[in-house]
Amino acid sequence: MSEERVALVTGAARGIGAATVRELRTRGLRVVAVDSCLGDDRERTHVGYPLATLAELEAVAAGDDGVRAAVCDVRDETGLRMAAQTFDRLDVVVAAAAVIAGGQPLWETPSEDLQQLWQVDAMGMWRTAAATVPLMLAGPDPSGCRFVGVASVAGSRGLFHLGAYTMVKHAVVGLVRGLAADLTGTGVVAVAIAPGATRTAMLDATAAVYGLDDTAQLATNGLGRVLEPAEVAATIGHACSPAGAALHGSLIAVDGGFGS
């Protein structure tokens, strides 16, 4: 069995997921880059913006033998289990797959939107954990293993006209904290990362929810600017490192002082 650490990243075709693949490669990990690649398939996405494409996922893996692209929807637990076994070990999991929907009060949110958010953002992370944590526990060095769930600033506060998204991201934080409690004494570390406004397709969709032409208007943080995916990925990379063990069970805000 190879001693080179292996990571699996969901939502890896673009945004924070793609930046995380690059960050983990700089840290010497081989990476399985997972994405649904649904593009503009509205019948399957039920969101108002295009998701990542196969071409975007292939671009993340292009020219790097240390990255394997795997087309898999996080709603498919069997597919996730297969992707997790791409290499001969698994040490790190970054669950970054998510969608966003909103634009109305919570009580007017279509049930289809809520179901999509729940199945992808929350249950998708649960399926990712169910498919991967047993492999890490059975691996050669559980003490070096990490599960990082990408939440949001919406996981700890309410966002106007994004009530369903807020609800689901609170569930994501609870999922990671519950997972961390169950992993007590095993050596495997679980951490939640809460990004603020980050330059991604999801932020473009958020701007559309608020009728904004420029995502810079969403930079309500102490930096006065939108974050770059690589900045969030750098914190994820630290959480995945040996030094990240001290973050077990934590919710780490990467938001530039959101709301300040």
Side-chain angles (χ1 to χ4, degrees):
M1 180 175 286
S2 171
E3 294 184 358
E4 190 175 11
R5 297 172 79 216
V6 172
L8 180 145
V9 179
T10 67
R14 64 187 186 188
I16 293 171
T20 297
V21 172
R22 292 188 287 270
E23 173 69 24
L24 295 179
R25 285 297 292 143
T26 67
R27 292 173 178 265
L29 281 76
R30 292 180 292 171
V31 182
V32 183
V34 177
D35 204 285
S36 65
C37 300
L38 291 177
D40 201 23
D41 186 347
R42 300 300 174 89
E43 291 186 4
R44 296 175 63 192
T45 61
H46 299 290
V47 295
Y49 62 98
L51 299 185
T53 64
L54 177 59
E56 288 175 309
L57 180 61
E58 291 176 337
V60 171
D64 188 346
D65 291 339
V67 180
R68 302 281 182 86
V71 177
C72 176
D73 194 312
V74 292
R75 293 171 292 186
D76 176 9
E77 188 173 343
T78 299
L80 286 168
R81 291 184 188 280
M82 292 177 62
Q85 298 178 61
T86 298
F87 292 110
D88 56 6
R89 62 185 289 167
L90 185 64
D91 304 87
V92 168
V93 177
V94 180
V99 294
I100 194 169
Q104 62 283 112
L106 181 61
W107 58 89
E108 295 178 4
T109 300
S111 61
E112 294 83 2
D113 287 0
L114 182 54
Q115 282 297 325
Q116 182 74 1
L117 288 165
W118 182 253
Q119 287 299 326
V120 176
D121 296 24
M123 292 300 294
M125 189 174 294
W126 173 81
R127 292 186 193 94
T128 301
T132 60
V133 170
L135 294 176
M136 291 191 285
L137 290 171
D141 182 20
S143 66
C145 292
R146 307 286 183 264
F147 185 96
V148 177
V150 179
S152 164
V153 293
S156 56
R157 61 188 298 170
L159 299 183
F160 180 69
H161 279 186
L162 290 172
Y165 180 74
T166 296
M167 181 187 81
V168 169
K169 286 301 184 177
H170 272 67
V172 164
V173 173
L175 184 158
V176 176
R177 285 174 168 162
L179 178 61
D182 286 341
L183 289 170
T184 298
T186 67
V188 179
V189 168
V191 182
I193 302 292
T198 307
R199 197 181 308 281
T200 63
M202 187 179 288
L203 190 67
D204 293 337
T206 305
V209 163
Y210 294 129
L212 302 176
D213 296 326
D214 187 354
T215 56
Q217 295 172 268
L218 295 170
T220 55
N221 60 35
L223 298 177
R225 64 171 176 82
V226 169
L227 300 177
E228 298 298 330
E231 294 179 286
V232 179
T235 297
I236 293 173
H238 173 69
C240 294
S241 73
L247 302 177
H248 185 56
S250 298
L251 173 63
I252 309 301
V254 189
D255 59 17
F258 176 72
S260 63

